Amino acid sequence: MIKVIIIDDEPLARSIIIEYIKTFNDIEVVAECNNGYEGIKSITQHQPSLIFLDIQMPKINGFEMLELLPKSPAVIFTTAFDEYAIKAFETHAIDYLLKPFSKERFTIAIQKYKSQTLIDNVSQLPYNQFVSNAIKQPEEKNRIVVKKGDDIRIIPVEELYYIEAYDDYVKIFTKDESYLKKKTMNYYEQVLDNTSFFRVHRSYIINLNQLTKIESFEKNNYIAILKNQKQIPISRNNYSKLKTLLEI
């Protein structure tokens, strides 16, 4: 039996998927979720093989939800916005159903899932790989969604102090907290606004709005001093680039 979870803030959309699924004897809907928060809890609880996931939802969107999960059930995206189709397939989704979709189109998506399950074991893809190359939606450029324990937090980028490389993760620092995120430094270097964030060292990106001064440290070495008094090393090559950026 294929366990399925439907995650969509529209009750009508969920009911249509349930109606279509009734014709498949080997598929069972184990949960319906109205948003990404509920989706994460249900996926953790039920460990489904497949999820139907809307992209634009309140609180956190579908892509942000996926980033918070350690590994992936297979995903079929359901959305009214075809502009996200490229991003959906970049995340290695099984399929992308554009609302309103027919029973025939839904059946094709199910057949794709079944055929790929036999070949690729799609239910074991790690989520950081699943969404690492995706183009961020507008709201994602202004915030970072993190999970700490059972809590999901949305951090506006202006509250970031710096980001530090941390093995296969990055560590995101605000004034009073730090969070681990399964992303790369290169990812945030590309995504964050380059007029506000600068990679001063291969292991550090700083928020220039939190920078108070630059001090020399030993011979030809420099450190950035942030508002919270944190001292961040600046590589020699990036020191020249930083001076240019700051016009000093």
Side-chain angles (χ1 to χ4, degrees):
M1 184 65 69
I2 301 168
K3 294 195 296 183
V4 165
I5 290 178
I6 304 168
I7 307 168
D8 196 311
D9 62 313
E10 299 176 11
L12 178 59
R14 298 197 302 270
S15 67
I16 289 172
I17 293 174
I18 289 172
E19 187 65 30
Y20 288 166
I21 283 177
K22 287 180 180 178
T23 60
F24 295 90
N25 296 326
D26 57 347
I27 300 178
E28 176 189 9
V29 177
V30 295
E32 293 180 56
C33 304
N34 190 50
N35 56 59
Y37 288 95
E38 294 177 7
I40 290 172
K41 292 179 181 178
S42 291
I43 290 169
T44 302
Q45 177 183 354
H46 296 287
Q47 296 295 306
S49 303
L50 172 66
I51 61 174
F52 289 89
L53 179 63
D54 191 13
I55 294 174
Q56 287 199 327
M57 296 184 291
K59 299 181 179 178
I60 60 174
N61 64 50
F63 295 118
E64 289 172 325
M65 189 206 80
L66 292 179
E67 290 183 351
L68 300 178
L69 294 169
K71 61 181 180 180
S72 167
V75 177
I76 295 175
F77 284 103
T78 60
T79 182
F81 300 93
D82 59 358
E83 65 197 80
Y84 300 123
I86 293 176
K87 179 174 179 179
F89 285 115
E90 283 179 342
T91 63
H92 303 252
I94 295 297
D95 207 345
Y96 178 99
L97 297 176
L98 182 62
K99 299 174 183 177
F101 47 86
S102 65
K103 176 64 165 57
E104 291 73 22
R105 181 65 184 85
F106 181 85
T107 300
I108 290 172
I110 294 295
Q111 290 170 344
K112 284 183 180 181
Y113 163 73
K114 290 181 177 181
S115 63
Q116 290 192 34
T117 300
L118 292 174
I119 298 171
D120 299 329
N121 193 19
V122 293
S123 63
Q124 298 302 314
L125 289 175
Y127 266 120
N128 64 298
Q129 175 184 339
F130 195 77
V131 294
S132 61
N133 295 322
I135 301 168
K136 294 181 79 66
Q137 295 184 61
E139 67 269 22
E140 295 176 69
K141 294 179 182 294
N142 301 316
R143 69 192 192 188
I144 297 176
V145 179
V146 296
K147 192 170 186 288
K148 195 164 188 176
D150 294 329
D151 295 333
I152 297 171
R153 303 181 188 181
I154 298 174
I155 305 172
V157 294
E158 59 267 22
E159 293 183 10
L160 301 183
Y161 273 65
Y162 65 99
I163 298 174
E164 180 181 1
Y166 194 79
D167 294 329
D168 294 331
Y169 294 77
V170 296
K171 215 168 192 177
I172 296 167
F173 289 84
T174 61
K175 182 179 180 180
D176 302 312
E177 296 274 0
S178 65
Y179 308 89
L180 282 177
K181 184 88 170 176
K182 190 72 172 179
K183 287 290 186 183
T184 65
M185 295 293 285
N186 288 340
Y187 174 83
Y188 282 114
E189 187 177 19
Q190 294 171 13
V191 167
L192 294 172
D193 181 3
N194 59 15
T195 64
S196 297
F197 291 87
F198 183 76
R199 190 168 183 174
V200 294
H201 185 279
R202 62 184 177 85
S203 297
Y204 293 94
I205 295 172
I206 66 169
N207 183 347
L208 296 176
N209 296 312
Q210 303 295 344
L211 177 65
T212 59
K213 58 183 175 179
I214 298 171
E215 292 185 351
S216 60
F217 177 71
E218 299 179 345
K219 186 177 180 180
N220 296 323
N221 289 306
Y222 296 88
I223 55 174
I225 311 295
L226 305 185
K227 290 179 181 178
N228 62 354
Q229 302 305 308
K230 175 66 179 180
Q231 299 181 2
I232 305 292
I234 305 174
S235 69
R236 293 182 183 181
N237 184 48
N238 286 340
Y239 174 65
S240 299
K241 295 178 181 178
L242 181 59
K243 286 203 306 179
T244 301
L245 180 63
L246 297 175
E247 299 180 346
I248 58 177

